[in-house]
Amino acid sequence: MKPTGSIMRCGAHIPRLRLARSVIAEAMSWANPPARHPLPGARAVANWDEDALTMAVEAARSCLAPTDPGASPDPPQALLFCSTTAPFADRDNAVMACGALDLPASTDSLNIGASLRAGTRALVSASSRADGTNTLVLASDARITRAGSPEELSYGDGAAALLIGPPSPDSLATILHARSLGSDFVDHYRMSGTRFDYALEERWVRDESLMKSIPGIVSALLADAGCSASAVRHFVMPSSASTANRIAQACGLEAAQRDTRVLTGCGNAGVALPLLMLGASLEMAQPGELIVMLGIGQGIDAVLLRAESGVGGGRGPVEQALARHRDEPSYVRYLSHRELLDVDFGMRAERDQRTAHTVAYRKREDINAFKGGRCSECGTVQFPRSRHCVNPQCRAADTQSPHRLADGAGRVKTFTEDWQAFTMRPPYVYGNVEFREGGNLLMEFTD
């Protein structure tokens, strides 16, 4: 397949909370002897109020943020939401992402899941659209792992966003060729109604499946492009370092750079991993360099890309997301956040947590897209919108137009820690925020 698109922009979101793998190993050493060479770094763990959808929206905001003051990119006409851990089994997660990003209701949206190749499949599909539609590809996963399992050490939570559009020399990369192979080789699976992946032995998967499939598809991909393996400067392989080294040698790509920052500082982020690793490689690439990216999951996607003039120029979104972190020192609190430990929070936790559907629908722009109001008479910004302006010098009626606050900056005026109110991560922290463009709001704080 010869795609016709390019990667115009890239975004990333990695939860700020990082649980050191040494903390996990120490907590579970009574059940599983510690490894002779423990995994370095930390895994990113979603906070109690984060899931695959909220992470995807944050990655999208990173991707679509204006690069110049006052200049916003054209909104995408299509959105693909890719995840194996979407929060809703029967509710359109992609439509919810469009609403949170304040995209038009006419945006063509689609959900893709059931395979860790979902992100790379969406990338190839979006780059093959002949109509030149700008497509936002969101890949996000927050997989639950059994306590003490190897997956608990290697997995991590994260999201990536890529804006795919027509070829442009000012883009980050041009997608030159793609090859796909479907195969029901099961390296892991998760049945409906269960929480944890069942994974097979990594060495057997590598030798029986990956080593027999990947070299051939990579060779065919490079033949399609008429280039040699020695011309490839970057290799994106969503697997452990040892497996990636073996595969690179088998493909003749041992000289290509393999960025491992995501695996070390975040972990295996499921469908988001190849796109996050691609974003990290684009931050290191120079214009004109070739990149081979693989997606793996009941088959293989192999994609050949060429870095364009948009790469470089400072810290990219993946590096920034990795750099923003806060240590989670408590293994027990991590278990509580993932609902792997049922903590008694006392009577303060006995409350109705369901929102009336009628209220949620009427307030959907306020809640999902975080829209307030701006008075057309005096310019005062407020949240939420109301019939009358809150400015005592104005008080005009029916003059407010929607004003999006989600992308605005603000400052904390006051805050407090409340140990009597319920939150999954005590204390409950809230306070008053003053937005730069105007408006004050009492709101909950997190991270």
Side-chain angles (χ1 to χ4, degrees):
M1 180 187 300
K2 183 174 176 58
T4 59
S6 65
I7 300 176
M8 303 166 64
R9 307 187 70 166
C10 175
H13 174 72
I14 297 173
R16 290 178 184 253
L17 292 180
R18 308 293 166 80
L19 182 64
R21 295 185 176 96
S22 60
V23 171
I24 300 175
E26 181 180 1
M28 296 306 301
S29 61
W30 63 272
N32 295 309
R36 182 177 301 177
H37 302 290
L39 292 172
R43 60 164 291 178
V45 293
N47 209 331
W48 71 271
D49 58 350
E50 286 185 298
D51 56 37
L53 182 57
T54 59
M55 291 193 303
V57 169
E58 285 301 303
R61 294 179 62 236
S62 164
C63 179
L64 301 177
T67 54
D68 299 317
S72 299
D74 293 333
Q77 292 84 47
L79 182 147
L80 304 178
F81 176 70
C82 313
S83 180
T84 67
T85 55
F88 290 98
D90 188 1
R91 187 179 177 186
D92 200 314
N93 296 275
V95 167
M96 292 183 66
C98 290
L101 295 170
D102 198 25
L103 299 179
S106 59
T107 303
D108 184 11
S109 60
L110 182 66
N111 298 278
I112 305 176
S115 169
L116 295 186
R117 279 201 298 153
T120 52
R121 293 301 307 140
L123 172 62
V124 172
S125 176
S127 65
S128 302
R129 298 186 67 150
D131 56 2
T133 298
N134 285 354
T135 302
L136 183 62
V137 174
L138 304 181
S140 178
D141 255 338
R143 296 182 288 176
I144 304 295
T145 55
R146 194 185 301 276
S149 66
E151 291 73 38
E152 185 178 50
L153 285 169
S154 62
Y155 283 10
D157 306 327
L162 298 177
L163 183 62
I164 312 300
S168 168
D170 297 327
S171 63
L172 296 176
T174 299
I175 303 167
L176 301 176
H177 288 273
R179 282 259 182 169
S180 295
L181 171 69
S183 172
D184 192 30
F185 184 93
V186 181
D187 60 344
H188 77 284
Y189 65 90
R190 183 171 67 251
M191 296 289 292
S192 295
T194 61
R195 303 187 70 190
F196 309 114
D197 289 353
Y198 182 81
L200 302 183
E201 205 274 324
E202 181 184 11
R203 183 174 56 180
W204 183 79
V205 172
R206 180 195 65 203
D207 295 344
E208 185 63 26
S209 175
L210 303 184
M211 290 292 291
K212 293 182 178 180
S213 303
I214 292 178
I217 196 172
V218 169
S219 177
L221 175 74
L222 297 178
D224 291 341
C227 70
S228 64
S230 61
V232 177
R233 292 289 175 264
H234 303 271
F235 183 41
V236 175
M237 172 75 183
S239 70
S240 66
S242 59
T243 296
N245 291 337
R246 291 279 300 273
I247 297 297
Q249 291 178 356
C251 295
L253 299 174
E254 59 271 18
Q257 297 183 46
R258 296 184 298 279
D259 195 301
T260 61
R261 289 177 296 167
V262 175
L263 286 173
T264 302
C266 169
N268 186 335
V271 300
L273 180 60
L275 303 192
L276 284 171
M277 296 181 75
L278 174 61
S281 294
L282 289 173
E283 293 173 359
M284 305 295 292
Q286 297 297 319
E289 292 184 342
L290 296 180
I291 304 169
V292 168
M293 177 184 68
L294 299 180
I296 301 172
Q298 287 75 65
I300 300 165
D301 292 326
V303 185
L304 179 66
L305 307 97
R306 182 181 63 235
E308 302 294 356
S309 62
V311 298
R315 297 174 65 192
V318 177
E319 182 181 359
Q320 294 176 29
L322 287 170
R324 292 191 296 262
H325 65 86
R326 174 183 176 187
D327 291 340
E328 172 53 89
S330 173
Y331 179 73
V332 171
R333 184 163 55 190
Y334 148 77
L335 293 179
S336 172
H337 286 356
R338 307 318 296 266
E339 298 183 347
L340 296 170
L341 185 67
D342 192 5
V343 176
D344 183 2
F345 287 100
M347 294 182 63
R348 59 182 173 171
E350 297 176 6
R351 60 174 186 170
D352 183 8
Q353 298 189 16
R354 295 188 183 274
T355 301
H357 290 177
T358 51
V359 176
Y361 181 75
R362 290 170 183 149
K363 302 292 185 180
R364 63 188 183 279
E365 288 191 343
D366 304 52
I367 297 171
N368 295 341
F370 195 21
K371 283 187 177 180
R374 178 184 288 273
C375 177
S376 59
E377 293 289 332
C378 68
T380 298
V381 174
Q382 66 184 73
F383 184 91
R385 281 174 282 175
S386 63
R387 283 203 60 196
H388 294 86
C389 176
V390 296
N391 183 353
Q393 306 301 321
C394 179
R395 301 299 295 169
D398 301 323
T399 60
Q400 292 186 37
S401 58
H403 182 80
R404 182 172 165 86
L405 292 168
D407 302 318
R411 71 181 185 93
V412 176
K413 295 179 66 177
T414 61
F415 76 94
T416 188
E417 296 181 351
D418 189 342
W419 285 92
Q420 299 301 314
F422 171 71
T423 177
M424 286 285 291
R425 190 180 180 87
Y428 185 54
V429 183
Y430 56 90
N432 187 272
V433 174
E434 180 181 63
F435 287 91
R436 181 179 297 166
E437 63 264 52
N440 288 269
L441 178 62
L442 186 69
M443 61 195 307
E444 181 182 354
F445 297 161
T446 184
D447 287 346

